[in-house]
Structures are given as structure tokens and as C-alpha cells.
């Protein structure tokens, strides 16, 4: 088999066989296929597309390129969640303890953030002492003991995806439905949960710009999940402004703690409730959505969701007292951004807010960047809010010198106009089965 012939075949729009796809993935992972040939194939895929069968074969080949994690040692239906990349998205830190407090094991191996999207692991590390490095055995033991563990990836899971994703990033081939679906699903299936809820973001700041494109991606991921015998539901959510009010690390953990006590922002709670309902039903913890909702509301209002989070923090070596008193979190020096216009907030460019947060020190420029866990942004005004000249739009937390540039950039993220606009609906669509 020759890579040249495979590139030629895809360039002409033909369907690749499973053997050919395995040859490509093995060869690229072990270095016998060079970047320039892989780049050409990726571009041909973007232009000529893949069938569902090819996408399945690609996903399988990427899973088999590395280690897989066997979670069968955990009792019950293990659930996991994945988001396609939001700004200020603290959902996992609320969702995990919430479903765990209702008896469903939440076993999540997470990644670090790169660029404007923060990683769950970085956020968790703003709690002093908390350790996210765990052996597989520890991960399984903890989940059995308290129904929840969140840790960094152990071992080499899907090395093919890691290498291909970096290449896609440099060759304008990230944005293809089949490549995104296989990339996400290979990682999730390799780490073993039985049921998965996917939060698929749509909007200017997301990979998928339209509801139609997001629906197609969701359907493909649900089909792949089913082919690998994992129950999968995709929830398509709007990302036309950041989720909640906090964007950063410590600030987002504080927001998660508030939300776990039913004192968080409305949009974050709305999303968490929908995702939790799907997971609880997939896991068979409840028979119908109404009962699931009732369970969720109970756990958020009686303190059991927050207690579960504290249990997890302490079992992983963290200082649980930070959850009782969030003023203990050390935030970087604060600067206020004031409005130079009066009217209503009509838009907040989430991508831009994410970029500013990164520049303040909350995100990574490169994999080696050191984060300032106290850096970030708190949005006092969101879509639909009335603003007068001089009102504080947002607080910026940073140790960086050039606050003026950050303020100017953040001001640009806001669109303020005379008409009051209601924010668009957050939950746009649920894709749970594809005929
Ligand atoms: N997230 C991933 O992990 N992979 C993609 O291709 C896109 C988003
Ligand atoms: Ca947030």
C-alpha cells in the first residue's frame, strides 16, 4: 500500500477502505508517513468528505493507536461529558458533583486548556493542594468510593489524534465534520465511559457556525457513539456570549461553587440542568425527565451537590475549606472596565472575551505557558442588561502590565445599542438518536 495512491484516491472523491485508513493512521503515528503527505490527505478529506463508514474506521484506528482505559472496575453506568469548546464554561465542575450526588458515577479524564478555552484541570488546580495526577487504579478506586473522580489523562491515549490535531491546526483542516467527530469520539471512547453527553457549541466563537452544521456534527457523533456501544446524547447550545459571568480559573471555580448551591448565573444553571437530566436518564437513575429534574433541584438546594464536590476535592488532597469560604481564593489585582455608552447590551463576542482572558494570564499562548490562576474576567453586564455611561461592564483580574490594551479589547467585545434584545435561547436542540 502506498500513501501516494491513497491521497490520489481521496483527491478523486473515492471511498477509502478500512485497511487503507488503518495503514494511514499506523504509518502517521509511527512516523513512516511524513507530515506533508498526511497534510495532503487531510485537505483532500476536507474537500471530498468521508462516508460514515470511513469516519467510523478512522475513529477506530485512532483509538487503537494508543492505550485504552478499562473502567469496568467501576460499579454502575459510568458517565462522562464533553464540550466542543466554550468560553467561561464551568459546566463540568458543577455537572460532575451534581450527578455523583444523585448516585451516578462521573469518571472524567480531562485535558488542559490551550488558547482561549480553559481546561477543567487548570480550573481545579486553583484549589490549593488538589492533585489531578492519578493512576488508573486510584481513579477507579475514587470513583467507586465517592462516585466521582476528575483527573488528567493517564498514559498515551489516542496519540494519532494528538499528532493529527496539531497538523490540522497548522494546515487549515480543523473545521471538517468527520475529522472533528472522529477526533472527539476517539478520545472519549478510549477513556471508557458507558454514557456520554456532548455539549456542541454553535455560534461565531464555535467550530460550528450554524445550527445546521452543529446538527450534522451532533448526528455523526451520536451515530459513532452508538456504533461503539456507548449511549450518546448531544445537546446543541448557543455560544453567542460567554457562559455565566466568570471567565478564568479561580473565578470560574467560585462560579461553580455558587452554582452548586443554586446561587449561580441563570444560563450556567440552565445548561447544567439539561446535561444532568440527560446523563441521569442515560444511566437509568430516573425513569422520566420530571423525576430527574426534581432530583437535580433537590441536590442543588439541599447542599448535597456541593458536599459531593467538597468530598472529591478533599479525597484528591485539596483544601475543602475554600468551598466553605470562596473569599479565600486569591484573585489577581482588579481593574474595572466602564461603559462609554448608554443603552442595552446586544452582543458579547465570546471569542474575544476568551482572548482577553488569555492575555490577562488565564489561558495558555503555548503548551509551555504558565497560567496565573487568579487572572480572569467577571462580566457584570450580559446580553439584555441596561447600561448607563460609567457603569461597570466587567472586572478584569491580572498581574500583567498592559491593562489598558486588555480593557480596550474587552470593550470591543461588547455591542451596546438602543434596542433591548433578549439573549437567544441557550439550548437550541437535543440530538439523541439518529434514524
Ligand atoms: N476538539 C477536538 O478534540 N477535536 C477536534 O477536531 C475539534 C475539537
Ligand atoms: Ca463562566
Amino acid at each position: 500500500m502506498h500513501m501516494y495512491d491513497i491521497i490520489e484516491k481521496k483527491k478523486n472523491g473515492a471511498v477509502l477502505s478500512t485497511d487503507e485508513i488503518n495503514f494511514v493512521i499506523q504509518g502517521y503515528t509511527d512516523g513512516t508517513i511524513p507530515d506533508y503527505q498526511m497534510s495532503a490527505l487531510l485537505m483532500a478529506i476536507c474537500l471530498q468528505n468521508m462516508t460514515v463508514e470511513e469516519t467510523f474506521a478512522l475513529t477506530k484506528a485512532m483509538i487503537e493507536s494508543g492505550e485504552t482505559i478499562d473502567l469496568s472496575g467501576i460499579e454502575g453506568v459510568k458517565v462522562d461529558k464533553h464540550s466542543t469548546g466554550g468560553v467561561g464554561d464551568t459546566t463540568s465542575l458543577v455537572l460532575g458533583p451534581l450527578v455523583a450526588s444523585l448516585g451516578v458515577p462521573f469518571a472524567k479524564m480531562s485535558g488542559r486548556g490551550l488558547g482561549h478555552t480553559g481546561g477543567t484541570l487548570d480550573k481545579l488546580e486553583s484549589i490549593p493542594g488538589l492533585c489531578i495526577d492519578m493512576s488508573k487504579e486510584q481513579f477507579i478506586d475514587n470513583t467507586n468510593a465517592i462516585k466521582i473522580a476528575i483527573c488528567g489523562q493517564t498514559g498515551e491515549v489516542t496519540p494519532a489524534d494528538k499528532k493529527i490535531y496539531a497538523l490540522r491546526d497548522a494546515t487549515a483542516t480543523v473545521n471538517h465534520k468527520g475529522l472533528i467527530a472522529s477526533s472527539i469520539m476517539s478520545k472519549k471512547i478510549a477513556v471508557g465511559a458507558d454514557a456520554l453527553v456532548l455539549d456542541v457549541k454553535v455560534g461565531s466563537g464555535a467550530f460550528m457556525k450554524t445550527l445546521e452544521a452543529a446538527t450534522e456534527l451532533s448526528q455523526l457523533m451520536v451515530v459513532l457513539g452508538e456504533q461503539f456501544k456507548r449511549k450518546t446524547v448531544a445537546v446543541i447550545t448557543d455560544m453567542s456570549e460567554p457562559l455565566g459571568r466568570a471567565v478564568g480559573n479561580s473565578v470560574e471555580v467560585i462560579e461553580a461553587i455558587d452554582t452548586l448551591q443554586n446561587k449561580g448565573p441563570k444560563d450556567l444553571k440552565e445548561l447544567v440542568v439539561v446535561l444532568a437530566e440527560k446523563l441521569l436518564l442515560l444511566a437509568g437513575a430516573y425513569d422520566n425527565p420530571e423525576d430527574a429534574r426534581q432530583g437535580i433541584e433537590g441536590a442543588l438546594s439541599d447542599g448535597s451537590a456541593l458536599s459531593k464536590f467538597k468530598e472529591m476535592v478533599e479525597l484528591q488532597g485539596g483544601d475543602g475549606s475554600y468551598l466553605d469560604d470562596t473569599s479565600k481564593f486569591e484573585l489577581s489585582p482588579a481593574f474595572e472596565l466602564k461603559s462609554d455608552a448608554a443603552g442595552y447590551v446586544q452582543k458579547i463576542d465570546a471569542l474575544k472575551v476568551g482572548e482577553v482572558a488569555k492575555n490577562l494570564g488565564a489561558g495558555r499562548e503555548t503548551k509551555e505557558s504558565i497560567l496565573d490562576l487568579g487572572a480572569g474576567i467577571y462580566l457584570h453586564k450580559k446580553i439584555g442588561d441596561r447600561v448607563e455611561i460609567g457603569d461597570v461592564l466587567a472586572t478584569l483580574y491580572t498581574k500583567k502590565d498592559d491593562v489598558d490594551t486588555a480593557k480596550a479589547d474587552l470593550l470591543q467585545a461588547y455591542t451596546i445599542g438602543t434596542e433591548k434584545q433578549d439573549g437567544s435561547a441557550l439550548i437550541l436542540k437535543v440530538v439523541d438518536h439518529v434514524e
Side-chain angles (χ1 to χ4, degrees):
M1 227 178 270
H2 297 287
M3 185 63 175
Y4 181 95
D5 301 330
I6 294 173
I7 299 168
E8 178 78 12
K9 194 171 166 185
K10 184 44 80 181
K11 184 184 81 179
N12 294 327
V15 174
L16 302 180
S17 71
T18 299
D19 283 348
E20 284 166 333
I21 290 171
N22 287 339
F23 172 82
V24 169
I25 297 304
Q26 275 164 23
Y28 188 58
T29 310
D30 70 22
T32 51
I33 293 172
D35 283 351
Y36 53 83
Q37 284 190 316
M38 192 63 190
S39 305
L41 180 64
L42 289 168
M43 186 57 79
I45 288 172
C46 284
L47 298 174
Q48 294 288 12
N49 237 322
M50 286 189 291
T51 62
V52 174
E53 289 72 24
E54 286 175 292
T55 312
F56 174 77
L58 176 60
T59 308
K60 191 157 180 287
M62 292 207 290
I63 294 170
E64 289 166 357
S65 73
E67 275 183 51
T68 55
I69 314 282
D70 177 11
L71 295 184
S72 60
I74 299 174
E75 298 139 29
V77 181
K78 282 79 68 183
V79 302
D80 192 2
K81 171 252 173 184
H82 182 82
S83 146
T84 62
V87 172
D89 189 344
T90 328
T91 316
S92 293
L93 293 185
V94 186
L95 181 68
L98 174 60
V99 299
S101 76
L102 293 163
V104 172
F106 187 83
K108 186 170 175 65
M109 288 198 176
S110 200
R112 295 203 179 270
L114 187 62
H116 69 278
T117 48
T120 298
L121 297 183
D122 300 313
K123 292 171 198 174
L124 275 176
E125 281 185 338
S126 21
I127 302 170
L130 192 137
C131 177
I132 48 88
D133 294 317
M134 256 184 240
S135 65
K136 264 186 238 180
E137 293 72 28
Q138 191 75 61
F139 182 65
I140 290 172
D141 285 351
N142 283 17
T143 313
N144 272 329
I146 63 166
K147 301 282 182 213
I148 182 168
I150 303 180
C151 75
Q153 233 151 52
T154 67
E156 265 271 85
V157 174
T158 57
D161 174 65
K162 199 175 283 172
K163 210 171 163 191
I164 293 170
Y165 197 38
L167 189 63
R168 286 165 60 207
D169 213 19
T171 56
T173 52
V174 168
N175 218 326
H176 178 269
K177 190 177 72 179
L179 294 177
I180 295 175
S182 56
S183 165
I184 291 175
M185 293 307 284
S186 64
K187 282 178 284 210
K188 287 286 127 184
I189 287 158
V191 297
D194 306 308
L196 178 64
V197 64
L198 299 160
D199 176 5
V200 178
K201 307 284 187 187
V202 62
S204 60
F207 287 116
M208 296 292 129
K209 310 292 178 202
T210 64
L211 181 58
E212 193 187 358
T215 303
E216 285 181 13
L217 174 65
S218 300
Q219 288 174 338
L220 185 54
M221 291 194 290
V222 168
V223 166
L224 289 174
E226 285 178 351
Q227 287 179 342
F228 285 97
K229 309 271 184 284
R230 312 299 167 100
K231 300 178 192 179
T232 308
V233 173
V235 178
I236 301 175
T237 66
D238 177 70
M239 216 199 54
S240 57
E241 65 179 340
L243 191 64
R245 294 181 180 278
V247 182
N249 294 288
S250 295
V251 283
E252 283 196 41
V253 174
I254 297 171
E255 184 164 72
I257 293 167
D258 289 343
T259 309
L260 281 164
Q261 310 170 76
N262 230 351
K263 292 189 291 197
K266 212 174 86 234
D267 57 346
L268 176 58
K269 178 180 171 178
E270 184 185 349
L271 179 56
V272 165
V273 168
V274 171
L275 299 177
E277 179 202 301
K278 302 299 168 205
L279 285 183
L280 292 169
L281 292 173
L282 286 179
Y286 293 91
D287 296 332
N288 62 70
E290 294 71 34
D291 289 350
R293 291 277 171 136
Q294 213 174 350
I296 291 164
E297 288 297 336
L300 291 175
S301 52
D302 69 9
S304 48
L306 181 65
S307 300
K308 184 52 76 181
F309 190 36
K310 193 172 170 188
E311 231 180 319
M312 184 197 100
V313 165
E314 291 179 340
L315 191 59
Q316 294 187 207
D319 184 345
S321 71
Y322 277 65
L323 279 63
D324 302 323
D325 177 8
T326 54
S327 70
K328 285 182 125 178
F329 284 95
E330 216 169 297
L331 301 181
S332 296
F335 302 88
E336 288 182 339
L337 171 67
K338 293 186 175 157
S339 181
D340 58 1
Y344 293 94
V345 177
Q346 295 182 330
K347 249 185 4 211
I348 306 177
D349 183 333
L351 203 55
K352 225 173 233 169
V353 175
E355 288 287 326
V356 176
K358 183 186 79 184
N359 295 338
L360 294 174
R364 282 189 184 80
E365 200 76 53
T366 69
K367 268 184 248 169
E368 286 72 35
S369 311
I370 310 247
L371 293 184
D372 171 7
L373 295 172
I377 297 173
Y378 188 90
L379 304 169
H380 297 278
K381 301 288 183 187
K382 292 199 61 183
I383 293 177
D385 287 345
R386 174 78 204 169
V387 178
E388 305 299 338
I389 292 175
D391 279 359
V392 177
L393 292 173
T395 304
L396 295 75
Y397 299 93
T398 190
K399 293 189 184 121
K400 297 269 168 84
D401 295 327
D402 194 8
V403 182
D404 288 339
T405 304
K407 277 191 183 180
D409 290 344
L410 188 56
L411 189 60
Q412 280 212 333
Y414 272 89
T415 306
I416 294 171
T418 48
E419 311 261 304
K420 179 173 165 71
Q421 221 158 308
D422 291 324
S424 40
L426 177 63
I427 313 294
L428 299 174
K429 197 169 178 174
V430 174
V431 177
D432 53 6
H433 186 66
V434 182
E435 293 304 326

